Amino acid sequence: MSNVNLPAPRISLSHTKEATWGEKVDITCSVETQFTGGSFTLTQSTGSFRETKSGTSVIFSLPKVDFVHAGSYYCQYQTRVSSRDFRSPQSSSVQFSVVVNLPAPRISLSRTKEATWGEKVDITCSVQTQFTGGSFTLTQRSGSFRETKSGTSVIFSLPKVDFVHAGSYYCQYQTRVSSRDFRSPQSSTVQFSVVVNLPAPRISLSHTKEVTWGKKVDITCSVRTQFTGGSFTLTQRSGSFRETKSGTSVTFSLPKVDFVHAGSYYCQYQTSISSRDFRSPQSSTVQFSVV
């Protein structure tokens, strides 16, 4: 026998052209020939991978692909006939890339869209991925807040929210795989505002609705609120009396009432929080006449 003509082998890939880092990839080489008893060599065209297996139909397995495995591959069949070595032409090539696809994280807010100044707000970021060992960054879209925590499910806490914390937030997951850095898409956003809700004060009168001229009248204003440090203003609705006192429970005294003091009164609480002024609703009214 002067010559042995071996056909070009067939080659096929178990995946599409994109394989996820750490997945298994199989490359199959086969040949139809009468010259059995040979072996295949699978070679990476642009890398260092090279492996040989016996048979006319063999599977080369890459159990956990890394970035170094990306590229094109071909196989070649070799056999020995009558003490002579023969080699087939190279097969066509198959090619794949190795990718890390991180899904968009989930984000959730511990409160409704309105948080009271000074309260605690928690924002949770989580992701389902095989690529653990990374971290989340929570970013305030229209402000300066930015914080990073390690894990695939983390809680960012704002222990006492201020007005600067109001706005929308998103999170992003980042991790390192085989010395390369990867970042997920941004999550959807959560948003909250920071409010100060002052309740309407309570008001009470020391006398009945009829006061003798020259007598003393006391009007007490009080409020239950976490926002202390404010003051009350007592206002005569149909007259000129107006007075302000500091505290969350104060008494306004009219030592000797005159006819000008007769009428209805209401009080209002005002306070300053983080350099902003807030005013409560008006209280109900108390009324007296002077006789």
Side-chain angles (χ1 to χ4, degrees):
M1 182 179 293
S2 60
N3 196 18
V4 169
N5 290 319
L6 296 173
R10 292 186 302 274
I11 188 169
S12 62
L13 187 64
S14 61
H15 273 65
T16 58
K17 291 187 175 180
E18 207 171 75
T20 300
W21 186 96
E23 280 188 326
K24 180 185 178 186
V25 170
D26 290 332
I27 300 175
T28 302
C29 298
S30 62
V31 68
E32 288 187 6
T33 180
Q34 60 176 311
F35 303 107
T36 58
S39 62
F40 278 104
T41 298
L42 179 69
T43 304
Q44 186 182 17
S45 299
T46 54
S48 60
F49 183 89
R50 185 181 173 90
E51 188 177 333
T52 299
K53 278 190 174 184
S54 297
T56 56
S57 181
V58 300
I59 298 174
F60 296 91
S61 291
L62 304 172
K64 291 184 177 181
V65 292
D66 205 335
F67 302 114
V68 295
H69 295 126
S72 62
Y73 292 77
Y74 66 87
C75 54
Q76 205 165 12
Y77 182 72
Q78 54 270 339
T79 191
R80 193 170 180 81
V81 181
S82 296
S83 302
R84 291 187 190 183
D85 293 325
F86 295 91
R87 188 177 295 272
S88 75
Q90 293 178 6
S91 69
S92 59
S93 63
V94 291
Q95 185 168 355
F96 66 91
S97 59
V98 177
V99 297
V100 170
N101 289 321
L102 296 174
R106 294 184 300 275
I107 189 170
S108 62
L109 187 63
S110 63
R111 306 194 75 80
T112 58
K113 292 187 175 181
E114 206 171 77
T116 299
W117 187 95
E119 282 187 325
K120 181 184 178 186
V121 170
D122 289 332
I123 299 175
T124 301
C125 298
S126 62
V127 69
Q128 286 188 343
T129 179
Q130 60 171 312
F131 303 108
T132 57
S135 61
F136 277 105
T137 298
L138 179 69
T139 304
Q140 186 182 17
R141 194 174 290 283
S142 54
S144 60
F145 182 90
R146 184 180 172 91
E147 189 177 333
T148 298
K149 279 191 175 184
S150 297
T152 54
S153 182
V154 300
I155 297 174
F156 296 91
S157 290
L158 304 171
K160 292 183 177 181
V161 292
D162 205 335
F163 302 114
V164 295
H165 296 128
S168 62
Y169 292 78
Y170 67 88
C171 55
Q172 206 164 9
Y173 181 72
Q174 52 270 341
T175 191
R176 194 166 178 83
V177 181
S178 291
S179 303
R180 297 188 189 184
D181 293 322
F182 294 89
R183 189 177 294 271
S184 75
Q186 293 177 6
S187 69
S188 57
T189 59
V190 292
Q191 186 168 355
F192 66 91
S193 58
V194 177
V195 298
V196 170
N197 290 321
L198 295 174
R202 294 184 300 275
I203 189 169
S204 61
L205 185 65
S206 61
H207 275 68
T208 58
K209 291 186 176 181
E210 204 171 78
V211 182
T212 302
W213 185 95
K215 293 279 189 178
K216 180 185 178 186
V217 170
D218 289 332
I219 299 174
T220 300
C221 298
S222 62
V223 69
R224 286 188 179 178
T225 179
Q226 60 171 312
F227 303 109
T228 56
S231 61
F232 278 105
T233 298
L234 179 68
T235 304
Q236 187 182 17
R237 193 173 291 282
S238 54
S240 60
F241 182 89
R242 184 181 172 91
E243 188 177 333
T244 299
K245 280 191 174 182
S246 297
T248 54
S249 181
V250 300
T251 300
F252 296 91
S253 292
L254 305 171
K256 292 183 178 180
V257 293
D258 204 337
F259 300 114
V260 294
H261 295 128
S264 62
Y265 291 77
Y266 67 88
C267 55
Q268 205 165 8
Y269 181 73
Q270 54 270 341
T271 190
S272 184
I273 301 164
S274 292
S275 303
R276 297 190 190 184
D277 294 326
F278 294 89
R279 189 176 295 271
S280 75
Q282 294 177 8
S283 70
S284 56
T285 59
V286 292
Q287 186 169 355
F288 64 90
S289 57
V290 177
V291 295

